[in-house]
Amino acid sequence: MKSALSTASIAATESSAPRLFGDLAPPPRTLMGPGPVDVDPRVLRAMSMPLLGQFDPVFTEYMNEVMVLYRQVYQTNNRWTLLVDGTARAGIEAVLTSVISPGDRVLVPVFGRFGHLLCEISRRCRAEVEFIETEWGTVFDPGRIEDALRRYRPKLVALVHGDTSTTMAQPLDEIGALCRRHGVLSFVDATATVSGIDLQVDAWQIDAVSAGLQKCLSGPPGSAPITFNERVEDCVLRRKHVEQGIRPPHFEPGDGPVIQSNYFDLPMLMDYWSEQRLNHHTEAASMLYAARECARLALAEGLEARFRRHRQAGAALSAGLVAMGLELFGDPAHKMPHVTGVYIPAGIEGEAVRASMLEDFGIEIGTSFGPLHGRIWRIGTMGYTCRKQNVLTCLAALEATLRRRGSDVPVGRAVDAALDVYEGVEQSAADVASG
Ligand SMILES: Cc1ncc(COP(=O)(O)O)c(C=O)c1O
């Protein structure tokens, strides 16, 4: 009753004088958290292009181009390489909802927050979820995953490639083959890694992969490129049920249980993304333009060169932080180069430092979750943000902020150490070029 009254009084105030607010004027920021990151201006420009109808032949050709581009980004020949509209978890939900029938067993190796997300989504799909855990800051030995495969005999293994919550990347080169040997499907969430570190979908025999644009791909959140092979196709087509209003004559539904989500129904998305162009949702055209431009940028730079750029920035940032006397978080052998966890020094209030970095320097760095909350900051050097100037400015800003809060970090060492890394890299590139 109380809330109904207050809703009425809000409505009365709102209707008496329309409030227009000001023009949007977001302050300039450098986004150096674990994502989202700064969007490449070319992507913003692509997003401002006029809309086309989703069956306009020009637009459907753009859809085909997106499929070709993301096959290269994912290093796959999978026919089914397409976009799910929504943030990265939309891609995860589309795969899991379509693959998992109620009662199926799913194994999730959890090494951070996003492994728990895979468990949670799988449970909502009514899976029987088994998970194994390793301490945050470490990854799994494939032998442990194989033991769990033997013990639980799941239908699907779902795991994260790079978990931004811990900054760790799980090596995947053996996992797909392991799953094949045990007759299990594999799904990987590559949101944090696609185009940042190597991800060879076909060579590593991963059955389905999903991602988002807002990290190493330098795009905005809101589109989820996914790819999956015939093993997944066979599985989901057994559940194919087309909604009545668009069902073609003589349509024979699959004999498996109906996929409980209409929006995330892969067989219906496949009909929309194939020559049939069977109507489904209204395609988020501006996001498709963005996704297309993100992939074009990644491929024009070259995947290897892009991985190298991320490695260099990660090495320079880490060297700078260590030179400042700070301690890095997690197993260095498995750290993603483009997200760096660093312990908050004793006696320093982490949130106050983040607020000063934002207010004084316009730089956003990340907080952390779960067992790491209040213990580490996470600094991202991904995609368009992954540039030498940003690394140096971030180090200088952090050093100044810490000093003003009473920390006795050495003056100037951090930037010097980072420059040493960049100059060393530049020097060796020059040596290679001069033979
Ligand atoms: C590894 C990983 N998976 C999934 C997500 C979820 O992405 P979204 O917030 O775009 O749904 C994130 C977001 O940070 C992520 O880092």
Side-chain angles (χ1 to χ4, degrees):
M1 194 58 194
K2 195 167 172 231
S3 73
L5 275 177
S6 52
T7 308
S9 62
I10 290 167
T13 328
E14 296 284 334
S15 62
S16 58
R19 291 198 295 157
L20 296 178
F21 305 104
D23 285 346
L24 278 176
R29 300 280 195 236
T30 306
L31 301 182
M32 298 189 73
V37 302
D38 296 339
V39 174
D40 191 298
R42 267 180 53 182
V43 177
L44 292 173
R45 199 173 64 208
M47 292 179 78
S48 68
M49 294 293 140
L51 295 198
L52 292 172
Q54 60 185 349
F55 300 110
D56 185 315
V58 177
F59 189 77
T60 53
E61 194 45 38
Y62 291 156
M63 292 172 76
N64 293 340
E65 289 171 5
V66 163
M67 297 177 93
V68 172
L69 290 164
Y70 277 94
R71 282 187 197 113
Q72 296 169 67
V73 171
Y74 276 134
Q75 304 183 60
T76 180
N77 289 315
N78 286 342
R79 172 179 182 205
W80 299 114
T81 304
L82 47 88
L83 303 178
V84 177
D85 292 350
T87 64
R89 77 189 59 207
I92 300 174
E93 293 225 30
V95 174
L96 295 186
T97 308
S98 300
V99 168
I100 301 170
S101 295
D104 283 345
R105 191 172 295 163
V106 174
L107 171 67
V108 185
V110 175
F111 59 101
R113 179 208 160 172
F114 290 101
H116 286 299
L117 177 68
L118 298 182
C119 292
E120 129 86 23
I121 294 174
S122 301
R123 281 192 200 103
R124 286 174 189 251
C125 299
R126 307 281 182 265
E128 200 186 297
V129 176
E130 304 288 355
F131 66 94
I132 52 174
E133 275 188 285
T134 182
E135 197 188 332
W136 286 31
T138 66
V139 296
F140 289 94
D141 180 81
R144 245 197 98 191
I145 298 181
E146 180 153 36
D147 288 346
L149 281 174
R150 286 209 183 89
R151 185 159 6 118
Y152 297 119
R153 305 189 165 283
K155 169 179 175 178
L156 173 77
V157 170
L159 84 171
V160 176
H161 188 195
D163 199 311
T164 42
S165 67
T166 69
T167 77
M168 294 295 113
Q170 171 68 46
L172 291 178
D173 46 342
E174 293 180 42
I175 307 295
L178 198 65
C179 289
R180 291 277 166 97
R181 281 206 298 281
H182 288 264
V184 174
L185 291 172
S186 57
F187 163 71
V188 165
D189 166 14
T191 304
T193 50
V194 65
S195 91
I197 59 175
D198 202 14
L199 171 59
Q200 301 181 30
V201 173
D202 284 1
W204 297 349
Q205 302 184 30
I206 305 164
D207 295 314
V209 179
S210 72
L213 301 187
Q214 74 267 29
K215 300 187 197 266
C216 299
L217 282 168
S218 312
S223 177
I226 66 168
T227 185
F228 53 92
N229 61 18
E230 297 85 5
R231 284 157 54 90
V232 172
E233 176 181 7
D234 290 348
C235 166
V236 301
L237 285 183
R238 284 200 288 275
R239 303 179 69 189
K240 181 166 180 174
H241 290 80
V242 175
E243 60 184 76
Q244 189 170 350
I246 56 169
R247 198 177 292 156
H250 316 299
F251 170 72
E252 288 288 336
D255 55 11
V258 178
I259 293 165
Q260 58 268 48
S261 167
N262 172 298
Y263 195 68
F264 293 133
D265 183 306
L266 284 185
M268 285 209 285
L269 287 172
M270 287 152 70
D271 280 350
Y272 173 48
W273 279 80
S274 63
E275 304 73 41
Q276 294 189 55
R277 300 282 174 213
L278 197 59
N279 196 4
H280 185 243
H281 63 290
T282 310
E283 184 55 24
S286 310
M287 286 311 304
L288 184 135
Y289 294 167
R292 180 178 177 281
E293 197 61 18
C294 288
R296 268 166 39 89
L297 280 162
L299 297 171
E301 179 175 2
L303 291 178
E304 277 305 328
R306 202 170 175 91
F307 302 153
R308 205 176 315 120
R309 175 160 62 85
H310 285 98
R311 275 200 305 274
Q312 284 169 8
L317 179 71
S318 296
L321 293 168
V322 169
M324 226 188 280
L326 303 182
E327 188 188 345
L328 302 184
F329 169 76
D331 172 4
H334 294 108
K335 174 191 165 308
M336 285 188 276
H338 48 275
V339 194
T340 300
V342 55
Y343 284 99
I344 300 167
I348 292 288
E349 217 217 300
E351 283 310 290
V353 168
R354 287 198 333 113
S356 298
M357 295 270 290
L358 192 67
E359 197 173 313
D360 297 334
F361 297 91
I363 296 176
E364 180 178 280
I365 63 167
T367 176
S368 45
F369 308 114
L372 299 178
H373 185 66
R375 293 177 57 210
I376 67 166
W377 294 301
R378 291 171 304 149
I379 306 180
T381 41
M382 297 188 257
Y384 186 66
T385 303
C386 177
R387 300 200 304 279
K388 182 174 168 183
Q389 295 91 323
N390 288 340
V391 170
L392 300 179
T393 313
C394 178
L395 287 168
L398 183 60
E399 179 191 308
T401 308
L402 287 174
R403 285 202 2 260
R404 291 183 80 80
R405 290 178 177 273
S407 193
D408 60 353
V409 290
V411 179
R413 292 234 194 109
V415 168
D416 266 347
L419 278 171
D420 285 347
V421 170
Y422 272 111
E423 278 162 18
V425 167
E426 280 154 19
Q427 185 55 47
S428 49
D431 291 345
V432 170
S434 66

